[in-house]
Amino acid sequence: MNTEKAANKLRDVLNLDKTTIKQIPFNEAKITISKQQLLLAVKTILKSGIWHLSAITCQQLEDDFILLYHFWKSGGLSLQIRLDEKNPQIDSICPLIPGAEYYEREVREMFGIEFPGLPNLAPLLLPDNWQGGFPMRKKEQTNHDKSESDDLHQKGKSS
């Protein structure tokens, strides 16, 4: 199934408005969904034959984060999800795509996004004794955020 057909299938399954799908030249599409729609969207993408997750990327905007799930099979299909800065969490897709673990761990470590269901919380890129908060966050972290960051890194340490 090509990217356009897969995007249309997602639109139908998720009951999305046509404005949520942006066709990009060269057989690529970006679809904006809610975080509650992620697991169903990924299941639909996998069923349509697009099985390669290329990356999960994150951008921080003024008051929120944008997560992009990049899929590829002879064309690109990206899911765009906006997360509130005050509660940056989204379900892990590891039960559907085990290889997503490294991408989710990287986003968790760099931005502080929580992925309930993520099977391995060990630090991936930063040293075990990292005390500097989330390195890719644009805003200065408050002391509360830093203590949460320390807690996240402590949870991920192995004995």
Side-chain angles (χ1 to χ4, degrees):
M1 181 178 291
N2 72 21
T3 304
E4 186 176 353
K5 287 181 183 175
N8 289 332
K9 176 79 172 165
L10 271 174
R11 186 188 68 220
D12 294 342
V13 169
L14 298 176
N15 196 27
L16 299 172
D17 186 291
K18 285 185 179 188
T19 61
T20 61
I21 298 176
K22 180 179 179 185
Q23 290 294 332
I24 302 169
F26 307 111
N27 198 26
E28 295 198 27
K30 179 182 74 175
I31 303 171
T32 303
I33 63 172
S34 70
K35 69 180 187 176
Q36 293 81 8
Q37 295 173 309
L38 176 63
L39 295 179
L40 180 57
V42 171
K43 286 177 188 175
T44 303
I45 289 169
L46 294 173
K47 284 181 184 176
S48 71
I50 299 175
W51 47 264
H52 179 69
L53 176 67
S54 302
I56 300 172
T57 57
C58 184
Q59 300 172 324
Q60 185 176 13
L61 302 178
E62 188 63 31
D63 294 320
D64 50 15
F65 296 94
I66 299 291
L67 280 180
L68 291 163
Y69 290 74
H70 305 279
F71 290 86
W72 183 265
K73 184 177 179 188
S74 54
L77 179 63
S78 295
L79 300 176
Q80 177 177 294
I81 302 162
R82 188 175 295 263
L83 298 178
D84 183 24
E85 184 180 57
K86 294 180 181 103
N87 185 24
Q89 73 172 24
I90 189 164
D91 289 330
S92 172
I93 63 169
C94 287
L96 302 172
I97 304 173
E101 177 185 322
Y102 293 99
Y103 301 132
E104 290 180 352
R105 285 171 61 194
E106 178 184 12
V107 170
R108 178 180 183 269
E109 197 169 322
M110 294 294 134
F111 289 94
I113 307 294
E114 281 299 309
F115 293 89
L118 178 61
N120 184 353
L121 302 178
L124 181 65
L125 302 171
L126 296 175
D128 287 344
N129 61 353
W130 178 260
Q131 298 294 314
F134 305 113
M136 297 300 290
R137 283 215 177 166
K138 291 181 182 177
K139 294 181 180 178
E140 180 69 29
Q141 294 181 54
T142 64
N143 287 337
H144 174 71
D145 289 339
K146 285 183 183 177
S147 68
E148 282 182 11
S149 169
D150 293 343
D151 290 345
L152 288 175
H153 289 289
Q154 288 298 325
K155 286 180 192 175
K157 286 187 179 177
S158 57
S159 304

